[in-house]
Amino acid sequence: NPFYVYEQPAYYDSSSDYNMTTPWKFSVGATKLFSRGLLSADVEYVTYNTIRYSSTNGTPVQRYKNTNESIKNNLQGVVNVRLGGEYLINNILSGRAGFNYFGNPYKYANDTNYSGSLGLGVKLTNTVYLDLAVVHQVNKYNDAPYVLSDFWINRGINQPVGKISNQRTSGILTIGAKF
């Protein structure tokens, strides 16, 4: 077919191609239904320390050895938790609440990340609904703006560390249609 021509660029170097093995994720969830609502819980375990780089033909390449060792030594598995519930107040109005906790994948870092939400849904017609949610997110961690050399550390000068605390509250309004 003259309209489709594939041409490999002359300056493409395939030696920089690599494969990445992503982390394993194991999860379990449960939901309890009631006559006017539900409760739900999900727990997952993610093995961030099993991420690996390799060459595209599967043979180990020396240049990925340090990267793979760094991942193995600095990352860890985490547990993430999601809890939620919904209650049908009447045939038009429903309320919701939820909580998310995300584990810290860094072995040597102090990192906290979680959020909570409240929501209210209104059924406008049989197919159109309005939903208002408020989400509060919290993220706290430490960060070193620069690294001191051993010269200063050996003289009793401590590494500067900033304690970062982010909190954000968002309001989300959704108008939707079921079809």
Side-chain angles (χ1 to χ4, degrees):
N1 188 336
F3 296 108
Y4 298 102
V5 176
Y6 175 77
E7 187 173 320
Q8 178 84 17
Y11 50 86
Y12 174 74
D13 181 11
S14 65
S15 67
S16 62
D17 289 352
Y18 63 90
N19 288 328
M20 183 177 80
T21 303
T22 57
W24 285 90
K25 183 193 297 189
F26 304 95
S27 62
V28 64
T31 300
K32 173 65 176 162
L33 298 173
F34 300 99
S35 62
R36 306 226 18 111
L38 62 89
L39 291 175
S40 178
D42 293 307
V43 178
E44 67 184 14
Y45 181 72
V46 184
T47 61
Y48 289 107
N49 56 336
T50 62
I51 296 171
R52 294 292 179 264
Y53 289 88
S54 63
S55 67
T56 54
N57 65 9
T59 60
V61 175
Q62 188 63 26
R63 72 174 171 211
Y64 300 122
K65 183 179 179 185
N66 290 341
T67 301
N68 290 336
E69 279 297 313
S70 180
I71 290 169
K72 183 178 173 184
N73 294 332
N74 292 299
L75 296 181
Q76 63 188 355
V78 300
V79 174
N80 299 324
V81 179
R82 294 174 189 84
L83 304 171
E86 185 167 353
Y87 182 73
L88 185 59
I89 299 165
N90 56 41
N91 290 339
I92 297 173
L93 196 61
S94 63
R96 243 185 6 270
F99 176 78
N100 294 313
Y101 170 80
F102 302 101
N104 174 17
Y106 302 102
K107 280 185 184 177
Y108 307 108
N110 182 9
D111 189 355
T112 304
N113 191 356
Y114 60 89
S115 68
S117 65
L118 294 173
L120 191 62
V122 179
K123 183 177 170 183
L124 300 175
T125 70
N126 281 339
T127 57
V128 178
Y129 63 92
L130 180 72
D131 189 81
L132 175 65
V134 176
V135 179
H136 183 70
Q137 297 173 312
V138 176
N139 182 230
K140 297 178 184 179
Y141 60 95
N142 297 335
D143 191 20
Y146 52 87
V147 178
L148 290 178
S149 70
D150 288 339
F151 174 83
W152 296 107
I153 291 172
N154 293 336
R155 284 163 177 72
I157 306 296
N158 292 330
Q159 180 73 34
V161 175
K163 295 179 188 284
I164 312 298
S165 178
N166 296 316
Q167 295 190 34
R168 179 175 63 190
T169 302
S170 304
I172 303 155
L173 180 64
T174 305
I175 298 174
K178 297 178 184 179
F179 53 94

